Amino acid sequence: MSKSKTHVVQLPSSKLNPLIMPKSEKTHIFITGATGYIGGSVLSALLAHPRANSFQITALTRSPEKVVPLDSVGVVAVVGSNQDHEKLTEHARESDVVFACADADDLEAAKAILLGLKKRYEATDKSGTGVLADDAAGNYATDKIYSDLDIPMIESLTKTQPHRYVRTYIILPSTVYGIADTSLVKLGIQNPYSIQIPSLIKSCIDRKQGGVVGKGSNVWPNVHISDTATLFTTVFDAAIKGPGEASHGREGFYFGANGEHRVGRISEIIAELLYEMKLGKSPEPTVFTEEELQKYFGGPYLGSNSRVRAERAKLIGWNPLHTVDSLWASIKPETEALADMQNI
């Protein structure tokens, strides 16, 4: 279950853009969305990383009050947002790795980050068409001539060619669930709640009855928030070893999923819980009207299908620990917490 404007599922906002870092220096990491549900979990995983002492992390935050707490865990905080394109470019230019965990639909922010990484490359490597260099060793002239209008030919360059100025890794989590329980949550820095399932719970509380879209027969994949964080660090670990360790660019899409569920089953569990809590009229969910779908979710996306297999991530060592049983178990604490937050 996902909505394109959210940063957690469809394009949950997730590009990892590393350059090769000098071994003798600290790895400079810039992260956006660091106080959000996914970004905060990724930042927590980086702070707990075995090589954390070799990282210098800068985080973008919209909240001035979170500067001091971030500083207390060794993170340099910059106040700003995805709309501050000059800041994005500036800090990307100063970084070896960028984790973009804010709004994935923000094209201008993505362009600003890529511009910064391009500027970093240009400042450290002026080889230009060296990206096309072959291994002739002076013994022959090649007949292969590149045109800057022949994009497929340029894209056919192997991953090991020098001077390809940025490597991108796009991470696409599915239905991310579970209340985040990280050190940053305890410090009041990170939002511990997802968007999709909590949105469904809130709508059911508001209408005083569990709701379902159509027959609830559509299917979506799922992934626990802690497994999502390890997906990011698994790709990161592989990426910094070199371009041959993890596919990138057009082949650099990594799904985050470890099981799938019938979406209507979530609605059924919520309806049962609300009925037990005396917040629902029936233990059986009723069908959302068109007006309700628009009111609560901006449309009928909740009734869509999305089925994937996270094969590429597992090939590089991602080992998610939570199955769909963890999803079912997560719904009760989420429902209780949200009901409590609304003082019901």
Side-chain angles (χ1 to χ4, degrees):
M1 289 181 324
S2 167
K3 188 176 180 180
S4 62
K5 290 298 181 184
T6 68
H7 68 277
V8 291
V9 179
Q10 282 198 353
L11 245 273
S13 63
S14 330
K15 294 185 189 71
L16 175 62
N17 303 312
L19 298 173
I20 296 176
M21 290 74 72
K23 302 297 183 185
S24 60
E25 300 178 2
K26 285 201 169 189
T27 302
H28 290 246
I29 296 173
F30 179 48
I31 181 169
T32 66
T35 61
Y37 181 60
I38 288 182
S41 295
V42 172
L43 178 55
S44 291
L46 289 172
L47 292 171
H49 193 281
R51 293 181 52 232
N53 288 338
S54 70
F55 301 157
Q56 181 171 318
I57 303 175
T58 299
L60 190 71
T61 176
R62 291 175 295 182
S63 306
E65 66 271 15
K66 293 185 179 179
V67 171
V68 172
L70 282 166
D71 181 69
S72 73
V73 295
V75 175
V76 177
V78 175
V79 177
S81 71
N82 260 19
Q83 281 65 56
D84 295 314
H85 299 152
E86 290 186 4
K87 283 187 179 180
L88 292 175
T89 297
E90 173 191 351
H91 290 286
R93 186 188 63 202
E94 299 300 321
S95 302
D96 301 303
V97 181
V98 175
F99 287 85
C101 298
D103 184 359
D105 292 320
D106 193 332
L107 178 60
E108 296 308 312
K111 286 180 178 179
I113 289 171
L114 288 170
L115 176 61
L117 291 169
K118 183 173 185 286
K119 286 185 175 182
R120 179 174 180 81
Y121 168 75
E122 290 171 343
T124 57
D125 193 321
K126 297 291 187 180
S127 296
T129 59
V131 70
L132 311 176
D134 61 20
D135 57 358
N139 294 318
Y140 59 86
T142 184
D143 293 326
K144 181 178 287 189
I145 301 174
Y146 291 85
S147 165
D148 52 16
L149 296 178
D150 190 342
I151 303 304
M153 188 177 185
I154 295 173
E155 287 183 334
S156 71
L157 289 167
T158 65
K159 301 172 186 176
T160 54
Q161 284 296 105
H163 318 308
R164 297 187 70 168
Y165 78 84
V166 61
R167 302 199 309 272
T168 60
Y169 304 77
I170 314 293
I171 298 175
L172 298 98
S174 48
T175 298
V176 188
Y177 66 89
I179 300 174
D181 183 22
T182 69
S183 58
L184 299 185
V185 170
K186 294 177 175 63
L187 287 171
I189 296 173
Q190 178 189 352
N191 164 37
Y193 298 102
S194 182
I195 294 178
Q196 307 94 302
I197 293 177
S199 292
L200 178 57
I201 294 170
K202 290 175 184 177
S203 71
C204 294
I205 291 175
D206 184 69
R207 72 197 291 266
K208 298 179 174 56
Q209 176 59 49
V212 64
V213 179
K215 297 179 180 178
S217 299
N218 53 308
V219 176
W220 267 76
N222 53 74
V223 62
H224 192 273
I225 181 58
S226 64
D227 289 328
T228 302
T230 62
L231 172 56
F232 276 82
T233 56
T234 298
V235 173
F236 168 71
D237 288 339
I240 62 175
K241 290 178 183 177
E245 296 296 320
S247 299
H248 55 91
R250 296 181 79 178
E251 298 177 1
F253 288 83
Y254 295 83
F255 291 130
N258 195 42
E260 58 181 16
H261 60 277
R262 181 174 62 84
V263 177
R265 181 58 187 146
I266 296 178
S267 294
E268 292 164 5
I269 293 174
I270 293 171
E272 293 165 4
L273 289 169
L274 293 181
Y275 183 73
E276 292 172 4
M277 298 165 67
K278 302 189 185 307
L279 298 177
K281 302 169 186 175
S282 167
E284 299 291 333
T286 59
V287 177
F288 284 113
T289 65
E290 292 296 325
E291 291 76 14
E292 287 177 321
L293 290 175
Q294 192 63 41
K295 173 184 177 181
Y296 294 122
F297 314 111
Y301 80 94
L302 207 62
S304 64
N305 287 283
S306 175
R307 305 187 73 178
V308 305
R309 297 290 182 269
E311 297 168 326
R312 190 182 299 277
K314 291 176 181 177
L315 285 175
I316 61 170
W318 183 49
N319 183 31
L321 302 178
H322 299 80
T323 66
V324 69
D325 288 337
S326 297
L327 168 62
W328 307 137
S330 74
I331 298 174
K332 182 176 182 179
E334 291 248 32
T335 302
E336 293 174 341
L338 290 169
D340 184 61
M341 288 169 60
Q342 295 186 30
N343 298 315
I344 296 176

